[in-house]
Amino acid sequence: MTTSKPGEETFISHLIELRDRLVRATIGVVVMCVGLLIWPGPARIYDILAEPMIASLPVGSKMIATGVTSPFLVPMKVTLVLALVLALPWVLYQIWAFVAPGLYAHEKRLVAPLVISSSLLFMAGVAFCYFFVFGRVFKFIAEFSPQSIAVTPDIENYLDFVMSMCLAFGATFEVPVVVVILVRMGLVSVAKLKEIRPYAIVGAFAIAAVVTPPDAVSMFSLAIPMCLLFELGILVAPLFVRMSTAPEDKA
């Protein structure tokens, strides 16, 4: 009869807990995806996603599908991605529930707000990109299109563009969270962040120029929020540091 060492039992229990959390996160995404398949359905979801592009095209124009299976696969991809975004709070909660037992009480006071704020900021970035940026970018591009060209975007190319833009805006809206983590870990101080503010502004415009289309509208639409969110991170970082500092460290 073999006996397991305490360390091995602990490691195995952690693996089982991780598996259970991953399964629960996956189930949450699947449930959300099934719900979206039922209502409003993949076709309607893609129509909503395509509205900013369609609005910039001539009246009566439509997008095209060059692949045989594209009219089916592309809306399904959009539905899955939307399910992942909507289920993000549930997925992050499962991650939080897995790591929480190993955290001190003062660390939990930091992690929980960061999980919530990360989800909200990512969704805010995606919403900002869809409702504010897309309409202006597509209109700007359409105005420069020669009269001899019929603008009929392919649905797969459009999806790739939209997903990359939404991901870029969602990720860059996490700037306050990154600032808070850097300050809390002691890698940089708030005073140092204020000192390098001019470089951060230049960096924001450089990042915006790389990840957005080559037009001024989309570049400024990303760079300006990044600068404002950087300032927000500087403002809230001291508060989060105080919340997550152990009582004995304050003495």
Side-chain angles (χ1 to χ4, degrees):
M1 181 176 179
T2 60
T3 58
S4 301
K5 297 181 181 179
E8 294 178 353
E9 293 179 352
T10 302
F11 178 72
I12 292 174
S13 65
H14 286 327
L15 288 180
I16 294 174
E17 174 71 11
L18 177 60
R19 181 202 63 188
D20 292 342
R21 294 296 175 184
L22 290 175
V23 170
R24 292 175 186 176
T26 303
I27 291 174
V29 175
V30 171
V31 169
M32 187 64 68
C33 187
V34 171
L36 292 174
L37 289 174
I38 296 173
W39 185 87
R44 178 54 184 158
I45 291 174
Y46 191 88
D47 287 342
I48 295 173
L49 184 68
E51 281 182 2
M53 184 76 244
I54 298 298
S56 66
L57 297 177
V59 178
S61 298
K62 294 184 179 181
M63 304 174 72
I64 63 171
T66 57
V68 176
T69 59
S70 295
F72 170 77
L73 291 180
V74 173
M76 291 296 294
K77 290 178 183 178
V78 174
T79 304
L80 178 58
V81 172
L82 181 59
L84 287 170
V85 173
L86 295 179
L88 185 61
W90 172 251
V91 174
L92 292 178
Y93 169 76
Q94 296 304 320
I95 298 174
W96 154 248
F98 176 72
V99 302
L103 300 176
Y104 294 106
H106 63 278
E107 292 174 331
K108 292 180 181 180
R109 289 196 297 269
L110 172 66
V111 175
L114 286 181
V115 170
I116 296 173
S117 60
S118 296
S119 302
L120 294 178
L121 285 171
F122 185 86
M123 292 182 180
V126 173
F128 178 82
C129 183
Y130 177 82
F131 290 105
F132 181 80
V133 177
F134 282 159
R136 288 162 176 80
V137 170
F138 296 148
K139 182 179 179 181
F140 178 84
I141 295 175
E143 290 176 351
F144 279 83
S145 175
Q147 294 294 327
S148 57
I149 296 178
V151 182
T152 53
D154 176 66
I155 60 174
E156 281 195 89
N157 292 335
Y158 177 74
L159 176 62
D160 292 340
F161 174 80
V162 168
M163 291 296 103
S164 61
M165 286 286 288
C166 288
L167 180 61
F169 275 81
T172 53
F173 265 58
E174 302 289 338
V175 168
V177 176
V178 175
V179 171
V180 168
I181 293 175
L182 291 176
V183 173
R184 179 61 186 88
M185 294 179 64
L187 298 177
V188 64
S189 64
V190 174
K192 186 64 176 179
L193 289 173
K194 293 180 180 179
E195 182 181 335
I196 65 172
R197 181 181 285 119
Y199 301 100
I201 294 174
V202 174
F205 278 89
I207 293 173
V210 172
V211 303
T212 60
D215 65 271
V217 176
S218 55
M219 184 182 72
F220 278 92
S221 297
L222 181 59
I224 293 177
M226 285 181 65
C227 296
L228 296 177
L229 290 168
F230 178 77
E231 296 296 330
L232 177 62
I234 292 177
L235 289 176
V236 301
L239 175 62
F240 274 87
V241 170
R242 286 195 297 270
M243 290 173 53
S244 61
T245 301
E248 58 272 16
D249 294 338
K250 296 179 181 179

